[in-house]
């Protein structure tokens, strides 16, 4: 009896045995991004304890901290008025002794079509609050993939997105990742961009009203208190498994916190 092989994506070899820390661009330092940064700090400490070179993170966000960000995001009242990226990175560096970097500009092309400096990283993680920003990141990553370099060659894109009670996390490869020969598994070298696979769904689900909230109470009308943190824990577990297990059967999930349902998305 012939049974179908399980589809598996094997992690790029360099992520498992790097000579230098793995470069990560984290884009967005709000409700999800601020929590993802904490998770990356935990991943970094754990990888180093296991003899890995760890992570080198660069956080991108041009927003400043307001009173509406307190409580739901990782900010204190004393940090009001500071750049989100600077406040978070300074805190991480003081706590963990890292030398991670903060950027106080958007991760986007300028008016002349030039890409931001330091755009190249092995892993890109997006925690942005609108669909247009995702498509902009996708365009930059595709362009970077055509420019072959030996250092910090882009490999993966992990995207977090949510509405008030629901969200999703999707893992994509930037080009094809060389896979080992396997008699047990059906290896999958390429995972499509979220903007290619679910582009129309993203456009349909986007909320047109992006008016900034003036208070935490008003912000909670748009995003519930724990949707960001629940997405963060599960999404960063997917990233951790890439390092720890060296493979994944899943490339993401859809999450509904209101009725506590999560639907995994298998590699195919």
């Amino acid at each position: 009896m012939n049974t179908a092989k399980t589809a598996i994506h094997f992690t790029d070899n360099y992520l498992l045995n790097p000579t230098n820390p793995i470069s990560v661009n984290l884009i967005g330092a709000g409700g999800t991004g601020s929590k993802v940064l904490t998770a990356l700090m935990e991943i970094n400490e754990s990888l180093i304890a296991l003899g890995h070179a760890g992570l080198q993170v660069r956080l991108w966000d041009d927003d400043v901290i307001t009173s509406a960000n307190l409580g739901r995001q990782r900010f204190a009242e004393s940090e009001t008025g500071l750049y989100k990226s600077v406040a978070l990175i300074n805190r991480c560096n003081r706590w963990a002794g890292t030398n991670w970097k903060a950027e106080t500009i958007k991760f986007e092309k300028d008016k002349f079509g030039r890409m931001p400096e330091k755009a190249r990283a092995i892993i890109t993680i997006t925690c942005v609050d609108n669909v247009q920003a995702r498509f902009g990141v996708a365009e930059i990553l595709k362009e970077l993939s055509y420019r072959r370099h030996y250092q910090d060659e882009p490999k993966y894109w992990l995207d977090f997105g949510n509405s008030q009670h629901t969200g999703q996390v999707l893992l994509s490869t930037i080009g094809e990742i060389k896979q080992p020969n396997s008699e047990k598994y059906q290896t999958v070298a390429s995972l499509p961009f979220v903007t290619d696979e679910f582009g129309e769904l993203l456009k349909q689900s986007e909320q047109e009203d992006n008016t900034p909230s003036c208070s935490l109470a008003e912000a909670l009308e748009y995003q519930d208190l724990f949707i960001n943190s629940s997405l963060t824990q599960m999404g960063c577990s997917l990233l951790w498994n890439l390092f720890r297990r060296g493979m994944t059967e899943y490339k993401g999930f859809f999450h509904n916190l209101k009725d506590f349902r999560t639907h995994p998305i298998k590699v195919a």
Side-chain angles (χ1 to χ4, degrees):
M1 179 179 177
N2 292 326
T3 57
K5 294 181 179 179
T6 301
I8 291 285
H9 174 77
F10 285 90
T11 308
D12 184 84
N13 278 335
Y14 186 73
L15 269 71
L16 304 178
N17 296 292
T19 54
N20 295 297
I22 298 295
S23 55
V24 179
N25 273 333
L26 174 57
I27 304 168
T32 302
S34 60
K35 296 175 176 66
V36 168
L37 184 67
T38 301
L40 290 176
M41 190 167 56
E42 295 170 354
I43 290 173
N44 179 61
E45 292 287 312
S46 300
L47 287 174
I48 291 173
L50 293 169
H52 190 279
L55 308 176
Q56 178 63 36
V57 177
R58 186 176 297 272
L59 178 60
W60 300 74
D61 200 304
D62 67 331
D63 282 346
V64 297
I65 302 163
T66 67
S67 58
N69 303 140
L70 309 182
R72 195 175 61 83
Q73 301 181 18
R74 291 280 194 264
F75 301 112
E77 186 174 359
S78 61
E79 295 172 317
T80 302
L82 300 176
Y83 279 106
K84 291 181 177 181
S85 58
V86 172
L88 289 170
I89 288 296
N90 283 345
R91 197 186 309 160
C92 283
N93 288 342
R94 286 195 301 269
W95 188 86
T98 50
N99 188 30
W100 292 359
K101 305 298 182 181
E103 297 289 342
T104 57
I105 59 173
K106 291 182 183 293
F107 187 92
E108 63 181 9
K109 291 184 177 181
D110 64 20
K111 61 182 179 181
F112 302 108
R114 295 175 301 203
M115 290 187 292
E117 292 185 22
K118 313 296 184 183
R120 181 175 294 277
I122 295 172
I123 299 173
T124 296
I125 302 174
T126 43
C127 305
V128 296
D129 56 8
N130 65 78
V131 173
Q132 183 180 357
R134 279 193 185 87
F135 278 90
V137 170
E139 183 180 349
I140 290 173
L141 293 179
K142 286 180 179 178
E143 189 169 333
L144 286 173
S145 70
Y146 298 136
R147 303 179 181 182
R148 308 299 288 185
H149 288 73
Y150 290 104
Q151 186 176 8
D152 295 335
E153 185 175 330
K155 301 287 187 182
Y156 291 100
W157 175 18
L158 186 64
D159 177 69
F160 291 76
N162 71 280
S163 55
Q164 185 176 10
H165 299 288
T166 63
Q168 72 286 327
V169 177
L170 270 299
L171 176 70
S172 308
T173 60
I174 303 170
E176 290 193 352
I177 304 298
K178 186 178 180 180
Q179 300 289 287
N181 295 325
S182 176
E183 295 182 359
K184 184 177 180 180
Y185 299 112
Q186 173 195 339
T187 60
V188 178
S190 180
L191 305 176
F193 277 15
V194 59
T195 48
D196 293 334
E197 189 172 15
F198 298 106
E200 291 304 316
L201 181 63
L202 289 173
K203 292 175 183 177
Q204 291 172 13
S205 64
E206 182 176 29
Q207 295 183 358
E208 295 298 329
D209 186 5
N210 291 319
T211 305
S213 304
C214 296
S215 67
L216 174 58
E218 186 177 350
L220 291 171
E221 293 298 318
Y222 295 98
Q223 295 188 37
D224 203 29
L225 184 58
F226 290 110
I227 183 62
N228 305 106
S229 53
S230 59
L231 280 173
T232 294
Q233 294 303 304
M234 296 182 67
C236 288
S237 179
L238 172 60
L239 179 63
W240 168 246
N241 283 331
L242 283 179
F243 288 105
R244 192 73 175 117
R245 296 182 61 230
M247 65 173 72
T248 181
E249 185 181 344
Y250 303 97
K251 61 179 181 179
F253 57 89
F254 292 106
H255 183 54
N256 188 323
L257 190 60
K258 192 172 186 179
D259 59 11
F260 303 104
R261 285 186 296 117
T262 300
H263 178 73
I265 306 171
K266 288 193 171 186
V267 169

